[in-house]
Amino acid sequence: MLSDDQVNETVINVETVPSGVQNHLSSNMNVPAKLAVNSRFGTVSSISDIEVTDPQVFSHQNDRRAKQSVRFSSLNEMFSRSHHSSDSGDMDTPCTSRGSIQGRQKLIASLIPMTSRDRIKAIRNQPRTMEEKRKLRRMVDKEKSKQSRRIFELNCCSQCLNSISLAYRRSKNILSELLSSVSLWQKTLKIIGGKFGTSVLSYFNFLRWLLKFNVISFIVTFSFVTIPQFTVGGNNTFPFTGLEFFTGADYFTDTVMYYGFYTNSTIQHRSGGTSYNMQLAYIFTVAACLIICFFSLLFSMARYFRNNFINPHIYSRGIAKLIFCWDFTITHEKAVKLKQKNLSTEIKENLSEILQENGKLTLSQHLTRLSVHLAAWVVSTGMATACCAAVYYLAENNLEFLKSQKNPGATLLLPFVVSCINLAVPRFYSMFGLVEHYEIPRQEVYVLLIRNIFLKISIIGILCYYWLNIVAPADEKCWETVIGQEIYRLLLMDFVFSLADSFLGEFLRRVIGTRFITSLGLQEFDIARNVLELIYAQTLVWIGTFFCPLLPFIQMITLFIMFYVKNISLRMNFQPPSKAWRASQMMTFFIFLLFFPSFTGVLSTMAITIWRLKPSANCGPFRGLPFFIYSIYGWIDSLSNSPSYTWVVWIYQNLIGSVHFFFILTLIVLIITYLYWQITEGRKVMIKLLHEQIINEGKDKMFLIEKLSKLQDTDKRANPSSLTPERTDVEEPGPLYGREHEAAHDLRFRRSVQEHSPKA
């Protein structure tokens, strides 16, 4: 018995050949033809797909008719069997065939779990009439409603959970879209990337990333340290003159801005209420900021490393995306032009990298450049050493100089000298590029970053030595506040010099290059120097957070202002890079420099401060203690007497206070880093081999095509008229004759079916 699908559409394979084919039964040539029979109207239609493989044409029409009658004898039996089950198209009519009922039930059961869109497509593709499809859809909807009603009655809790999860996913998607739409400086960054390329854009992305970084640090310190201190703060006795904005002293000394103002007592506003230990809050808040920074740096570095070094699509250079993909949702004219600029810049960067990879130098050129690079490194290292020696000499005599001077402006001498060095020496380093002539701009940026980081981190190291070994042991009233004021002045002076350099130095350079010495032209944006300014300032903020808790807020304001200043200066005073290059891996390198040696140096400095230095006796939350870490020791001793907090004591003794734990953690981090590095190298080799394989396959195809064309030319020369008569014999009847022959064949086929099946 046939099912509904078999009744509605019966496919028959018929061997048909042109009339007059002789010895066809002896040849094993199969020419398929699909014959679709509609049981509702009792007609049969044929869709022939004739493929002639035998070039000889014969004339025996009777043999072909006899073969067709034999082929269609089984079809008549099938029609006679299935007539009772397919005579009516009504879906609700009782059916005598169990196979038909089971097939319909299976079809409905398979349609119920589908989504509405997939269900409509599946019903639409069924070989049924429109009325049957409508009734089938009504039956499926009815069964689905019954099933959903039973599920709702039995599993109400699961339905509630599903609705909650659906609402959560929708709200999450809406929130992500909202955050992406209100992303800070999104349009400005697109404009910068379209005009100046990804190399310059990497600096502004790094600046925005640091801004978010400092916002989190400020929220943590302000919430857990500054706000509790406001509730017990006293009156400020210092007069405000305005000079405090530059010196950070006098009026600001007796505020929540510095360490010395915070109390060491436990804050409790009413008897019996909850108490707030200021010592623990202060040290745990600073530790929490450093831990957040540590994991944020690790996570960001791993994410950028995975996206820019490990993923294989990076090495394909995105040519398919650049050429064949376009976002058709962009309809605004300015947005279209901006997208065109971005695509044009990316194409230039990819082409420049291809040209750089193909360029090769001779041995003499390599030796010449190596000697020039070696001389530049000797000069830059000598200059950095001289600058560090000058800073050390000035810092060593700074305390005596300040005691002999009564002018408050004398405190700005050390920050002024350090800022002058940080401004002038990196510009001198940038002039080495006129002699070194790096072929790849990325290499030049890496070299400048290493030279500048060596200079700036060395200066910060000398200043830390000055603060921890000269200022801290001196008989100062509150040496923590003195260090906080020094860091504030360094940070503010660096910001002032950056503003002056943007408004005056870069502007004067543009005027000289465009009006007086036109051969110079507009300058290019120095990525290395500007990035190192951000890293230098962020390092000072991390060191100064312990001595000046509001320093992240100051850094947040300076970064916000610097973004707009650098953006305006970039558009007015700079030109796009002469050598376009992709900077997809620059963010990884920037964050790595921020992590090492910047953040690791900060951790070393803070460890020495907390474990080795004695706090001031008359100020700050740790007054009266032999070391800062003794506040943690006292807290652990108090918890050891309470049985409910033994797990905290165990964690401290076996994890935080254990050297072995940190050794194992460091070993695990190094192993993971090594594995990532090996994965990167392996994928590079794999991609290189795949590229070579693609090139070899292309060469093989070209070789085969050439051999084939040569063989065809040889055959044509040997027998030039061998193919023409056969093609003429096959194509002689023409298109009109073919249609008439097909129609006559279809008519004869229908007659033979009707003769053997009177009911049809």
Side-chain angles (χ1 to χ4, degrees), residues 60-334:
H60 285 282
Q61 184 73 19
N62 296 327
D63 295 341
R64 186 175 59 81
R65 289 182 180 178
K67 190 167 185 175
Q68 285 181 353
S69 63
V70 173
R71 292 286 182 182
F72 297 138
S73 61
S74 62
L75 175 65
N76 299 327
E77 296 177 1
M78 292 164 61
F79 282 165
S80 62
R81 283 191 222 140
S82 61
H83 175 68
H84 296 286
S85 63
S86 61
D87 189 30
S88 175
D90 192 0
M91 298 293 295
D92 297 330
T93 304
C95 185
T96 59
S97 174
R98 289 184 180 178
S100 177
I101 295 173
Q102 292 178 357
R104 187 184 306 152
Q105 290 177 354
K106 289 180 180 179
L107 179 62
I108 293 173
S110 63
L111 290 173
I112 288 175
M114 296 183 181
T115 61
S116 59
R117 181 177 298 177
D118 295 338
R119 192 185 307 119
I120 291 171
K121 289 182 179 180
I123 295 174
R124 187 181 298 164
N125 294 331
Q126 288 290 319
R128 304 175 185 271
T129 61
M130 292 300 296
E131 186 65 25
E132 292 172 352
K133 291 179 180 179
R134 292 191 187 98
K135 291 182 179 180
L136 179 61
R137 184 176 178 181
R138 285 196 295 269
M139 292 177 67
V140 172
D141 292 339
K142 186 177 180 181
E143 292 294 329
K144 187 174 178 61
S145 63
K146 290 181 181 179
Q147 186 177 2
S148 63
R149 194 180 300 113
R150 287 194 297 268
I151 293 174
F152 179 76
E153 291 174 357
L154 297 175
N155 301 322
C156 183
C157 295
S158 63
Q159 292 292 325
C160 293
L161 292 175
N162 290 333
S163 61
I164 291 171
S165 63
L166 180 61
Y168 171 74
R169 288 195 299 269
R170 289 178 179 176
S171 61
K172 184 179 179 181
N173 293 332
I174 293 172
L175 182 62
S176 62
E177 292 177 359
L178 181 63
L179 291 176
S180 63
S181 62
V182 299
S183 183
L184 191 62
W185 302 317
Q186 190 70 26
K187 184 179 178 181
T188 306
L189 293 175
K190 288 183 178 180
I191 294 173
I192 294 172
K195 186 176 181 180
F196 294 91
T198 57
S199 57
V200 179
L201 180 62
S202 62
Y203 165 78
F204 289 91
N205 284 328
F206 186 62
L207 191 150
R208 186 177 66 169
W209 185 80
L210 285 178
L211 179 61
K212 296 177 182 178
F213 213 68
N214 285 278
V215 169
I216 297 174
S217 299
F218 166 70
I219 291 173
V220 173
T221 55
F222 188 78
S223 301
F224 296 99
V225 174
T226 307
I227 291 178
Q229 182 61 35
F230 273 129
T231 59
V232 294
N235 296 324
N236 196 338
T237 58
F238 290 94
F240 182 75
T241 59
L243 188 62
E244 291 83 0
F245 284 111
F246 298 97
T247 62
D250 296 336
Y251 180 81
F252 287 154
T253 303
D254 200 12
T255 59
V256 293
M257 189 171 179
Y258 294 112
Y259 163 91
F261 182 74
Y262 290 86
T263 182
N264 64 336
S265 61
T266 301
I267 300 175
Q268 189 175 7
H269 293 285
R270 61 180 183 273
S271 59
T274 58
S275 58
Y276 193 82
N277 193 329
M278 202 62 191
Q279 287 185 353
L280 297 177
Y282 197 94
I283 195 168
F284 280 143
T285 301
V286 175
C289 287
L290 294 177
I291 291 172
I292 291 172
C293 294
F294 175 76
F295 284 106
S296 299
L297 286 171
L298 280 182
F299 175 76
S300 301
M301 192 161 50
R303 180 165 60 90
Y304 283 109
F305 183 76
R306 183 181 67 249
N307 295 336
N308 299 325
F309 286 90
I310 295 179
N311 287 346
H313 67 84
I314 296 298
Y315 300 98
S316 63
R317 297 188 178 92
I319 297 297
K321 184 194 74 170
L322 296 177
I323 298 176
F324 301 107
C325 297
W326 177 262
D327 190 359
F328 288 96
T329 59
I330 301 175
T331 57
H332 197 268
E333 185 178 358
K334 292 184 178 179

